[in-house]
Amino acid sequence: MATVSLQDVRKVYRGGVAAVKGVTLDIADGEFVSLVGPSGCGKSTTLNLIAGLEELSGGELRIDGQLVNDLSPRERDIAMVFQSYALYPHLDVAGNLAFPLKVAGMDAKDVEARVREVSGVLGLEALLARRPKELSGGQRQRVALGRALVRRPKVFLFDEPLSNLDAALRTQMRGEIKKLHEQLKATFIYVTHDQAEAMTLSDRVVVMSQGEVQQVAPPRELYDAPANLFVAGFFGSPRINLVKPQTLGLPDGDAVLGLRPEHLQVGQGARPEDAREGRVYLVEPMGAEVWVTVEMGGERLVARAPGDFRAASGDTVWLRHDARYLRRFDARTGRAA
Ligand code: ADP
């Protein structure tokens, strides 16, 4: 078990690309932290710096209080799970699981016990004699996880481990990773570009953009109180509505207002006094709910309506917002007011 601490960590690649521009972050023992952000924002570089696969250009990195800037990956006692499974094709599942332990010189009896334990945790018992090519994508990913688990490292690092899987399997494996974290109570650091993965898995989420941390907070807080327009726009599906104050009938100012689609009520027929009229632009039935895009005051807003809401493009509707949930951002800096 371990804490991981980054103090003003920087990475400038040869050729001058500043990929990580001073990240400071304290990860608690047993915490599940995700690094999330669009492609190229520096997530993988940050993870590789923690792993020791890249050298720091500046700052300090500590694991369990010990400065590890100059330690090799092996000396850091961490395990990394990548999106590509990298299993040995000529070894069966048991062989793949045993491999890291044999390399470390563990004796055969202990290796067998570890492999049994880990295959139990991951539900791989029935597959131990199979080769990787005889496994499904999800099973292969589970073996790759198992290979990280057998060593019982202090810290687990994940780099987009699910991005090669189809949507249904992704959701299932996401649940399995979360349960695994609950069982192991180890420190997990998880890189993803997928906001839903970061939200559902993490104790805290680190939102990055262009090599800098935008906000570090538990998922609920990120969603309810985004620090700036970037974070507001990154989380939530459908996206948060970002509109001028006058669109909602409020006094103008140098502000952008943020309003989640679930805090916008859409209706047809008699318009309540505090509602404003608009025209339906698009209707997207999702099953349990309907996403309704409405044009109003020259802007488009999305509302979440109940699944049985009936409307068609071009219909006149009204929109009513819940003022308690309005978020105000400075139009110039993008920061939450
Ligand atoms: P992410 O994981 O968020 O997609 P990366 O950490 O992979 O982002 O990349 C951050 C930035 O650093 C990008 O601009 C990328 O092009 C650049 N980069 C990544 N790896 C290297 C490298 N080995 N050499 C030079 N530039 C790199």
Side-chain angles (χ1 to χ4, degrees):
M1 303 286 235
T3 60
V4 177
S5 162
L6 287 74
Q7 184 63 46
D8 197 24
V9 163
R10 294 165 186 277
K11 178 66 185 180
V12 182
Y13 283 111
R14 239 190 301 268
V17 178
V20 177
K21 302 174 188 164
V23 169
T24 295
L25 178 67
D26 281 305
I27 300 172
D29 183 26
E31 196 174 17
F32 196 134
V33 167
S34 291
L35 308 179
V36 72
S39 179
C41 72
K43 311 178 289 289
S44 297
T45 300
T46 305
L47 202 71
N48 290 340
L49 290 169
I50 297 170
L53 300 175
E54 292 286 355
E55 222 174 291
L56 277 77
S57 309
E60 294 182 343
L61 177 66
R62 287 188 170 75
I63 297 178
D64 261 350
Q66 185 197 2
L67 191 68
V68 298
N69 283 36
D70 299 321
L71 293 191
S72 71
R74 190 170 287 275
E75 292 167 315
R76 294 184 190 193
D77 195 13
I78 48 193
M80 192 139 172
V81 182
F82 297 92
Q83 62 174 267
S84 51
Y85 320 112
L87 301 176
Y88 299 108
H90 59 289
L91 295 178
D92 61 15
V93 169
N96 267 285
L97 293 176
F99 190 82
L101 302 176
K102 286 187 176 157
V103 169
M106 188 184 271
D107 70 62
K109 221 186 177 71
D110 294 337
V111 170
E112 203 196 311
R114 276 289 171 90
V115 168
R116 205 174 323 119
E117 180 196 315
V118 165
S119 53
V121 169
L122 292 170
L124 292 168
E125 296 105 323
L127 306 173
L128 287 173
R130 292 211 203 158
R131 299 275 172 91
K133 69 168 190 294
E134 298 164 321
L135 301 173
S136 71
Q139 290 166 336
R140 271 182 226 160
Q141 188 54 271
R142 218 168 284 151
V143 178
L145 266 176
R147 223 171 41 176
L149 286 185
V150 284
R151 284 174 36 215
R152 293 187 187 153
K154 285 187 193 167
V155 181
F156 289 88
L157 306 180
F158 299 86
D159 193 354
E160 304 257 3
L162 307 183
S163 55
N164 280 347
L165 306 177
D166 65 50
L169 198 52
R170 268 185 91 113
T171 311
Q172 185 199 331
M173 287 297 295
R174 188 176 81 193
E176 290 187 19
I177 288 176
K178 184 156 188 169
K179 291 308 291 182
L180 192 64
H181 179 254
E182 285 176 15
Q183 282 173 4
L184 296 177
K185 299 179 175 68
T187 308
F188 277 33
I189 307 176
Y190 190 101
V191 159
T192 179
H193 65 276
D194 182 36
Q195 51 116 357
E197 244 170 54
M199 288 270 257
T200 51
L201 286 169
S202 318
D203 296 314
R204 279 189 307 157
V205 180
V206 179
V207 188
M208 293 183 70
S209 169
Q210 298 181 6
E212 291 179 273
V213 171
Q214 301 294 312
Q215 190 170 4
V216 183
R220 190 75 238 170
E221 192 180 318
L222 277 184
Y223 191 76
D224 291 341
N228 56 40
L229 285 171
F230 179 84
V231 177
F234 196 79
F235 291 92
S237 178
R239 270 166 64 99
I240 192 169
N241 295 296
L242 297 171
V243 295
K244 296 194 211 80
Q246 61 263 43
T247 302
L248 298 176
L250 299 168
D252 199 11
D254 260 347
V256 175
L257 297 181
L259 188 62
R260 299 271 179 208
E262 58 270 34
H263 300 137
L264 198 55
Q265 192 189 355
V266 56
Q268 276 178 306
R271 176 164 65 91
E273 216 171 281
D274 55 350
R276 297 170 72 78
E277 202 159 84
R279 187 178 287 270
V280 175
Y281 174 76
L282 185 68
V283 179
E284 297 169 281
M286 302 298 294
E289 59 187 28
V290 182
W291 298 355
V292 188
T293 307
V294 178
E295 282 178 332
M296 193 170 84
E299 300 200 85
R300 286 187 191 141
L301 294 92
V302 181
R304 266 179 213 267
D308 58 2
F309 183 77
R310 295 274 172 272
S313 299
D315 284 0
T316 297
V317 290
W318 50 259
L319 287 178
R320 178 160 62 174
H321 71 269
D322 190 334
R324 286 174 305 168
Y325 297 106
L326 269 186
R327 290 273 146 199
R328 184 175 281 271
F329 300 92
D330 186 301
R332 267 186 300 256
T333 64
R335 284 202 207 99

